[in-house]
Amino acid sequence: MAAAPGHRLPGVPRPLRVGIQLPEVERDVRWPEYAAMAHAAEDAGFDSIWVGDHLLYRDDGRPERGPWDAWGLLAGLAAVTERVRLGPLVACAAFHPPAVLAKMAATVDELSGGRLVLGLGAGWNRAEFDAFGLPFDHRTSRFAEAFEIVRRMLGGERVTLRGSYASVDDAVLLPEPARRPTLMIGSTGERMLSIALPHVEVWNTWFDAYGNTPEGFADLNARIDRAVVQAGRGPGDVERSACVHVALDPSADGRPIDPACPPWEGSMDRIAAGLRDMAAAGADEAILVVTPITERSVRELGGVLRLLG
């Protein structure tokens, strides 16, 4: 069974869940540091930890770089944590055959004891598609077929589908999963939303889609309300998750800073106030994307969580 909208983990009374994204390509990070940051996030009181799902970045004016495989990291993180929800932010449905992706997600959910949030999207970074020999055309149509296979298999169905881009023949997940992971869509595209919103529990947006401000999020959230209704559901049926760029040290290695979408800076009090404003704007969850993203930063931001109560 999927988690019901509004689900809170035991012992987490805050009205706004707060997660944190672990390093992607900000710098070279090895497994022991990922594990240490995951432990720090649990100790600090974060509700969730997330990893990006990419293969390679190049041709963007910066040095060529790439992250570790997201699903390998998630499996490791599932084994070294006990409480936090965890997931890809978000998994590219085009990187794996959809039935294989469903198998991978079911395995990570089993390893974590039901803590996986399966965020899904269609992908956008053409350079990594080309480098790894993956088709970049008809991304939304490909996503639609992949999403149907993944969600139905994770829902316990035996699936046969012969599509234009993906086909399965009596595909089934065995051992049978104990539950279906929570499904999350990471997109603002109208067609993508129409495909996913009838089925998902959570919608997520990156900070640059709303200008990294509570006011911008409120405007985007109102559009998502309308899209949820058009999908035949009530606005309260789909949780809202927003990534928030926070710079504890803007001069450190981290996400590029866009002057049109500046990160939050300032004291823990100011960051906490911004998160309260995000909750008032309709966010059920805020995922902090932090510059710099280090174990020290994770522990420092525990002060924000204490201020939120």
Side-chain angles (χ1 to χ4, degrees):
M1 292 292 291
H7 173 69
R8 299 289 188 266
L9 288 172
V12 182
R14 292 192 304 274
L16 176 74
R17 291 196 307 272
V18 183
I20 193 161
Q21 185 181 33
L22 300 187
E24 187 186 37
V25 292
E26 295 89 340
R27 54 193 175 83
D28 187 348
V29 179
R30 302 289 162 157
W31 169 247
E33 188 176 357
Y34 278 105
M37 282 190 280
H39 289 144
E42 285 208 313
D43 292 344
F46 281 96
D47 299 304
S48 57
I49 54 179
W50 304 83
V51 299
D53 184 24
H54 283 282
L55 303 173
L56 181 69
Y57 290 95
R58 61 164 51 136
D59 302 331
D60 60 357
R62 290 182 288 160
E64 186 176 61
R65 60 218 183 277
W68 298 107
D69 170 63
W71 289 100
L73 279 179
L74 288 168
L77 293 167
V80 301
T81 56
E82 298 179 353
R83 178 186 58 78
V84 289
R85 302 200 302 178
L86 52 108
L89 195 64
V90 291
C92 179
F95 286 172
H96 306 277
V100 176
L101 178 57
K103 185 80 169 181
M104 294 160 64
T107 301
V108 170
D109 192 63
E110 172 69 17
L111 292 174
S112 69
R115 292 181 285 128
L116 176 68
V117 179
L118 177 54
L120 290 167
W124 57 269
N125 179 17
R126 177 154 196 161
E128 62 190 338
F129 281 75
D130 290 346
F132 280 75
L134 300 169
F136 193 70
D137 62 325
H138 306 290
R139 282 177 297 142
T140 302
S141 296
R142 291 179 185 275
F143 175 85
E145 293 180 3
F147 181 68
E148 180 177 352
I149 293 168
V150 169
R151 69 171 179 81
R152 289 177 58 192
M153 289 184 66
L154 289 173
E157 295 185 44
R158 305 183 75 97
V159 181
T160 295
L161 185 148
R162 292 178 176 83
S164 299
Y165 309 102
S167 296
V168 290
D169 184 5
D170 196 26
V172 62
L173 294 176
L174 295 173
E176 183 179 351
R179 66 199 69 79
R180 175 171 76 72
T182 298
L183 296 179
M184 180 174 83
I185 180 64
S187 179
T188 57
E190 290 185 9
R191 189 175 168 210
M192 287 284 289
L193 293 173
S194 71
I195 293 164
L197 286 179
H199 307 284
V200 299
E201 287 76 49
V202 188
W203 163 82
N204 170 265
T205 184
W206 195 246
F207 55 81
D208 62 1
Y210 66 92
N212 207 42
T213 68
E215 297 80 11
F217 180 77
D219 290 342
L220 177 56
N221 194 39
R223 181 163 77 82
I224 300 304
D225 277 345
R226 295 190 292 271
V228 171
V229 171
Q230 290 171 0
R233 305 176 71 185
D237 292 340
V238 179
E239 288 191 351
R240 313 305 163 86
S241 169
C243 297
V244 178
H245 190 186
V246 173
L248 300 180
D249 178 2
S251 66
D253 290 337
R255 296 277 172 177
I257 293 177
D258 181 354
C261 184
W264 295 7
E265 299 179 34
S267 67
M268 297 298 108
D269 285 315
R270 290 185 63 183
I271 295 170
L275 291 174
R276 293 190 191 98
D277 289 342
M278 289 293 291
D284 297 291
E285 174 182 51
I287 299 171
L288 304 185
V289 182
V290 186
T291 298
I293 180 57
T294 62
E295 181 182 349
R296 179 178 178 179
S297 296
V298 174
R299 294 193 182 279
E300 183 177 351
L301 286 163
V304 170
L305 306 183
R306 291 189 289 274
L307 289 169
L308 292 176

